[in-house]
Amino acid sequence: GGSVGNFFFAGARTFFGSLPAAIFLFSKVAGIPSGSRVLPAVLSEERLVLGAVLKDGTRLRGQYEISHPSPRQLAMKSNSTKEKDGQRDRSGSFKAVVKSFDTSDSLNEGITSLHPSAMKRVCYLLHDPTWRRKVQGQRNANNPSAAAEPPSPQRSKSRVRTDWTDRHEVDPEPNPSVLEAISNANCIVYGCGSLFTSVLPSLVLRGVGEEIVRKAVPRVLLLNGWHDHETTWLETSSDGNAVVKQMDATAIVQTIASAFDRGNEQCKDDEDDSHDGCSVTPIPLITDYITHILYPIGSEIDIKEQSLEELCASRQRLRSEHAATAGIVKQTNEQPSHLDRIKVMGIASIPADECVEGKRSGGASRHRIFDAGALVDCLLELAST
């Protein structure tokens, strides 16, 4: 079920011992124009894996576990948890689910694959091929009776899981060519894709946020046309019912800003996102990271411009308060001449099932993706301003 492109890169990197060499080979095979540059965010001989922390404290290890959570049984009072005919295979296990989450059918098998809490942040961990055995051994030692019991979806997916701690995190250096490319850019675009496993891993690297803040160019966030398992989660209401929750555009922007802050030497974010760890001012504004949001018309991502304005205003107030605390007089009463806000623009779209990539990502006819021509025209116009 893996991507052919991922297999190609994995094999080529193993063969050459170099990710840039693998990228060069792929560019030749795929016929990528010579003027295009594909740069790996990290150059390291270490094998790295992604880790994610949920807001309930659960810690996940590995991209697949983050973006393709395994189905589990739900001990909640909800019609959405009832089994359908054919939902289980002959072995009694849940079938594999696709990455995208279908909101049109509350009884789809994907609901059992949702994480039990919203995701908070992503990080890098060193690859450890023995970690599953170590974790299981530790669990068996703590609970000997569990080792003799046959595995069950309820027990194996019990929360909260803490298979790794902060001390297991690593802080890889960003590829210097990436920082150079950012410094020479006339427009910075955060592309479509899975938020925590495709977009954020490049943004949490030390120095990337600082470099972006220095560039007075459009910084454009492209919103997806629909949700996936990284922006959708399951909560238990006070009456015990299962409730599906999803990130809106404001939450996505806040998550990206927090990711930048964690890699920003000027503003090291602490665990409660209060920015109390900032030692240098000024704290970057939201629009120092994102100036525009483009979305395909018909996107299911909820966009509330008032909420975005409140997020930007809150950051402005925090910036002024922190400057006053730091004793920088000229920042104490900072009152910008204009309200700091993100410009939101809808772009022409097409049904997701009309293109190969849209289908591969789980898109259906009701889902929308950017019309390529309209998107390119808009980005070129922004880059030329």
Side-chain angles (χ1 to χ4, degrees):
S3 165
V4 172
N6 288 345
F7 288 138
F8 183 99
F9 280 117
R13 187 186 186 282
T14 300
F15 181 81
F16 291 112
S18 166
L19 183 56
I23 292 173
F24 177 79
L25 177 61
F26 182 83
S27 67
K28 294 301 182 183
V29 172
I32 296 176
S34 58
S36 302
R37 299 177 66 195
V38 180
L39 302 172
V42 176
L43 288 177
S44 173
E45 295 303 317
E46 300 284 355
R47 292 189 63 185
L48 304 176
V49 297
L50 292 177
V53 180
L54 307 188
K55 290 187 176 180
D56 70 350
T58 297
R59 294 175 181 247
L60 308 174
R61 183 186 184 95
Q63 177 178 348
Y64 195 87
E65 186 173 4
I66 296 170
S67 60
H68 300 75
S70 300
R72 56 195 174 92
Q73 290 180 330
L74 301 173
M76 300 177 182
K77 298 183 299 180
S78 172
N79 291 333
S80 60
T81 63
K82 292 180 180 179
E83 284 187 28
K84 297 185 296 180
D85 291 339
Q87 185 171 347
R88 289 178 177 271
D89 61 24
R90 295 178 181 177
S91 67
S93 301
F94 282 100
K95 298 177 182 177
V97 297
V98 296
K99 186 174 183 178
S100 60
F101 179 75
D102 185 359
T103 57
S104 66
D105 180 7
S106 62
L107 291 178
N108 71 81
E109 64 185 47
I111 196 171
T112 65
S113 300
L114 296 177
H115 291 301
S117 174
M119 289 196 190
K120 181 177 182 180
R121 65 181 181 89
V122 69
C123 63
Y124 286 92
L125 308 171
L126 283 178
H127 173 71
D128 180 0
T130 66
W131 78 273
R132 289 185 185 277
R133 185 166 65 251
K134 291 177 181 176
V135 169
Q136 189 60 51
Q138 182 179 8
R139 289 175 179 169
N140 291 342
N142 294 336
N143 185 11
S145 62
E149 298 174 8
S152 68
Q154 283 178 308
R155 185 168 62 83
S156 63
K157 292 297 174 184
S158 62
R159 300 306 196 211
V160 169
R161 289 172 44 191
T162 55
D163 296 345
W164 55 271
T165 63
D166 290 350
R167 67 183 180 85
H168 295 101
E169 296 184 33
V170 294
D171 187 19
E173 293 284 342
N175 181 355
S177 296
V178 170
L179 300 181
E180 179 186 3
I182 294 173
S183 67
N184 294 324
N186 56 7
C187 184
I188 298 170
V189 181
Y190 313 114
C192 297
S194 301
L195 180 61
F196 288 89
T197 57
S198 295
V199 179
L200 295 186
S202 298
L203 308 185
V204 298
L205 297 172
R206 185 171 62 253
V208 171
E210 289 180 81
E211 197 64 51
I212 288 176
V213 168
R214 292 192 189 102
K215 290 295 296 182
V217 298
R219 308 166 186 98
V220 185
L221 171 64
L222 304 184
L223 281 186
N224 293 329
W226 63 93
H227 286 281
D228 61 15
H229 287 81
E230 295 184 18
T231 56
T232 308
W233 66 98
L234 201 64
E235 290 186 356
T236 308
S237 64
S238 57
D239 57 1
N241 288 323
V243 180
V244 175
K245 299 281 189 175
Q246 294 177 319
M247 296 178 73
D248 61 11
T250 303
I252 291 172
V253 169
Q254 176 64 75
T255 300
I256 291 175
S258 296
F260 276 130
D261 287 343
R262 292 189 65 82
N264 194 336
E265 292 297 335
Q266 289 187 328
C267 187
K268 282 291 185 183
D269 190 16
D270 60 6
E271 282 298 300
D272 61 5
D273 294 335
S274 66
H275 301 280
D276 292 337
C278 294
S279 59
V280 179
T281 53
I283 293 175
L285 298 172
I286 296 295
T287 50
D288 287 331
Y289 295 138
I290 300 172
T291 59
H292 296 73
I293 291 178
L294 306 187
Y295 66 93
I297 294 174
S299 169
E300 71 174 31
I301 309 297
D302 190 21
I303 304 172
K304 297 185 178 71
E305 295 195 42
Q306 179 63 37
S307 176
L308 286 168
E309 290 183 8
E310 291 172 358
L311 174 64
C312 292
S314 174
R315 184 77 165 210
Q316 279 185 308
R317 291 192 295 270
L318 179 65
R319 175 185 174 114
S320 297
E321 292 168 1
H322 188 271
T325 302
I328 302 179
V329 178
K330 68 177 182 178
Q331 296 281 11
T332 302
N333 298 313
E334 181 181 28
Q335 295 293 334
S337 58
H338 66 281
L339 179 63
D340 182 61
R341 58 161 58 96
I342 297 171
K343 185 173 183 180
V344 180
M345 305 170 63
I347 305 297
S349 64
I350 62 174
D353 62 352
E354 290 187 6
C355 75
V356 174
E357 182 60 26
K359 289 181 180 179
R360 191 190 71 80
S361 301
S365 59
R366 66 183 174 278
H367 294 137
R368 311 298 296 184
I369 62 173
F370 288 105
D371 176 86
L375 177 60
V376 170
D377 288 343
C378 181
L379 290 176
L380 289 176
E381 182 178 351
L382 289 174
S384 63
T385 56

